[in-house]
Amino acid sequence: MKVNTISLNSVRLNTIALNHIGEIRSGGGASKPSPIPQWIREHIVFYYDVKKQGATNETLKESAYLQDLSGKGRRMKLNNFLFDMMSGVDGYKNETFETVPNNTNIKWSHLSYYSIEGKPTQKSTDFGLYRVKNNVNKVLYLKWNIEGIQEGNKVYLAQYNNESTRIELTNGVNDIAFDTTNSDNPGYGSVTIISDQPYSTDITITQIPEYPGALVTDGLDDYGLVENLSSGVKMLFMTVNPIENFNQFKNYYSQMRNAASQPFCVYSTPVGIAYNYSNLNGITYIDGVLNESIGCTKLWGLKHTITIVNDTVNPTNSGQPAFFSREEWRKGYYSKIAFYNSIAFDSIPTEADGFTEQELIDYVLTNIIGQ
């Protein structure tokens, strides 16, 4: 069986152009359109993709929604997100680029939260990078990509007004643990970029995100509520990366109306098969493979796609879907995850549809959310 490439690269903001999904052709010279694309058009409920939407912290600050790329008009309203640091798009460590107050001799042509460009100075008093630091161990963990340091020119990171603490920077990825214990400002760290040959080289420093292309939740109160949908779905795909071991007994998704006995929520419990604890009478796949043994703890820190299937879902036993937990139901179960995409359907394929459940899963993973 050969799968033709589909044209989902032409994703628009409010529709994934489902009419352009390709065909699966049979062998032997003859071709037959696959019934899967038409089934998807008929049964899709919502589709979110952070990267395909082109979402940034700046755009989401203006309009806090993940757009429904299926064209069904079911946006995800994002509640309580900072759209900054580790509560927003890409996920950045707790650091910012800012000038030192009252500085009058800045030599940088560009300055933003995520990057700086321009010429380093030999005087540490000319420019500072001001960051909230960790009050427990007083160490800044920096992950930068640096470009433009010329051969023979040395550029350093140093504690503000203390050049003896300097660390040499290099082109490429710089992963730095910088001790700010002796900072003059308790609770904060202020550092600077200096050069052994002042103003002789143009460099660009860009923070490297922790989870590129994802919406990162803080595990405190971030959640997303699906609009214009009063009951749950029967088949859900979502691609996530659980952050650290924070997610014990947390919800990644819930469509329960008001009781834990109702199907289903994507619940991370350290016992049993991953995500099937609160999926009564249903089954769960991990990266397209039926999960019969893998537990949630084995998936923490790994990017993977969850597929939940449950044919018992109906308008009576399910409610408005919510991602990353929700305020009014199971409050306190907020997850800390990197969320990449999700697509859902109101039905599960049967033999009469002309393809199997597994074939649909493989198709979605390969041709839609896997792109």
Side-chain angles (χ1 to χ4, degrees):
M1 179 178 291
K2 180 181 178 181
V3 181
N4 285 352
T5 303
I6 63 172
S7 61
L8 280 179
N9 288 331
S10 59
V11 171
R12 298 190 295 272
L13 187 61
N14 293 316
T15 176
I16 59 172
L18 287 172
N19 290 328
H20 297 139
I21 290 179
E23 300 174 348
I24 296 180
R25 301 184 182 276
S26 61
S31 64
K32 181 180 179 181
S34 167
I36 295 179
Q38 181 60 35
W39 188 95
I40 289 175
R41 286 189 286 270
E42 293 175 357
H43 295 285
I44 191 169
V45 178
F46 55 71
Y47 175 30
Y48 309 113
D49 192 301
V50 178
K51 186 175 181 180
K52 289 179 181 177
Q53 178 177 323
T56 65
N57 285 318
E58 288 70 24
T59 61
L60 293 180
K61 283 178 182 178
E62 295 180 2
S63 180
Y65 291 93
L66 290 185
Q67 299 298 326
D68 179 10
L69 302 179
S70 75
K72 299 291 185 178
R74 298 183 176 116
R75 302 181 302 179
M76 187 198 303
K77 176 68 172 71
L78 302 177
N79 298 276
N80 304 325
F81 281 81
L82 296 176
F83 301 119
D84 201 353
M85 297 178 292
M86 294 298 284
S87 175
V89 178
D90 293 333
Y92 291 90
K93 291 287 183 68
N94 195 14
E95 52 179 284
T96 60
F97 294 107
E98 297 180 4
T99 59
V100 172
N102 302 317
N103 187 296
T104 59
N105 190 22
I106 302 302
K107 297 296 181 181
W108 300 90
S109 57
H110 170 77
L111 171 67
S112 74
Y113 186 90
Y114 301 115
S115 65
I116 55 175
E117 300 173 11
K119 297 179 181 295
T121 174
Q122 197 172 29
K123 299 178 180 178
S124 63
T125 54
D126 282 351
F127 185 81
L129 302 179
Y130 192 69
R131 298 174 183 81
V132 178
K133 73 181 182 184
N134 189 321
N135 288 313
V136 177
N137 56 27
K138 301 180 189 283
V139 174
L140 292 173
Y141 295 99
L142 312 178
K143 188 185 291 186
W144 291 346
N145 184 67
I146 301 178
E147 300 175 328
I149 299 177
Q150 297 177 4
E151 186 176 356
N153 191 189
K154 294 185 180 297
V155 177
Y156 302 94
L157 173 73
Q159 190 166 295
Y160 181 51
N161 276 338
N162 187 354
E163 295 185 22
S164 65
T165 62
R166 65 187 187 179
I167 297 174
E168 184 174 354
L169 303 175
T170 60
N171 287 321
V173 176
N174 290 248
D175 208 337
I176 304 165
F178 193 84
D179 189 350
T180 61
T181 303
N182 298 319
S183 173
D184 294 334
N185 191 343
Y188 292 87
S190 191
V191 292
T192 190
I193 301 297
I194 57 177
S195 173
D196 65 341
Q197 301 174 37
Y199 314 136
S200 64
T201 189
D202 285 287
I203 67 170
T204 300
I205 301 176
T206 305
Q207 291 189 46
I208 299 174
E210 300 298 308
Y211 301 95
L215 178 71
V216 178
T217 67
D218 62 10
L220 300 176
D221 56 1
D222 294 345
Y223 75 102
L225 197 60
V226 178
E227 296 187 331
N228 303 316
L229 188 62
S230 59
S231 58
V233 302
K234 292 190 175 185
M235 197 169 190
L236 174 82
F237 297 74
M238 63 183 303
T239 305
V240 301
N241 188 337
I243 298 173
E244 303 163 349
N245 60 354
F246 176 88
N247 290 292
Q248 185 167 289
F249 303 113
K250 305 297 182 182
N251 277 348
Y252 301 172
Y253 169 93
S254 177
Q255 58 183 31
M256 293 178 175
R257 182 177 293 278
N258 53 24
S261 61
Q262 296 176 338
F264 54 80
C265 71
V266 181
Y267 183 59
S268 181
T269 172
V271 297
I273 297 174
Y275 313 123
N276 228 35
Y277 181 86
S278 292
N279 183 26
L280 303 179
N281 302 309
I283 55 177
T284 305
Y285 298 76
I286 303 297
D287 291 331
V289 178
L290 181 65
N291 187 20
E292 298 179 306
S293 61
I294 301 172
C296 288
T297 58
K298 298 294 184 181
L299 297 167
W300 289 343
L302 298 176
K303 183 180 177 181
H304 59 283
T305 298
I306 305 162
T307 305
I308 295 280
V309 180
N310 196 316
D311 200 34
T312 68
V313 177
N314 60 54
T316 301
N317 65 15
S318 64
Q320 183 181 16
F323 286 82
F324 330 127
S325 194
R326 64 195 298 176
E327 283 188 337
E328 62 270 29
W329 172 235
R330 297 181 77 83
K331 187 173 184 178
Y333 289 78
Y334 298 103
S335 56
K336 186 176 181 180
I337 64 174
F339 169 82
Y340 295 85
N341 55 54
S342 180
I343 191 169
F345 303 101
D346 62 10
S347 183
I348 301 169
T350 65
E351 185 177 344
D353 292 307
F355 56 93
T356 66
E357 178 178 298
Q358 184 67 60
E359 286 176 321
L360 174 65
I361 292 172
D362 293 342
Y363 186 92
V364 170
L365 291 179
T366 301
N367 297 306
I368 303 181
I369 63 176
Q371 289 196 324

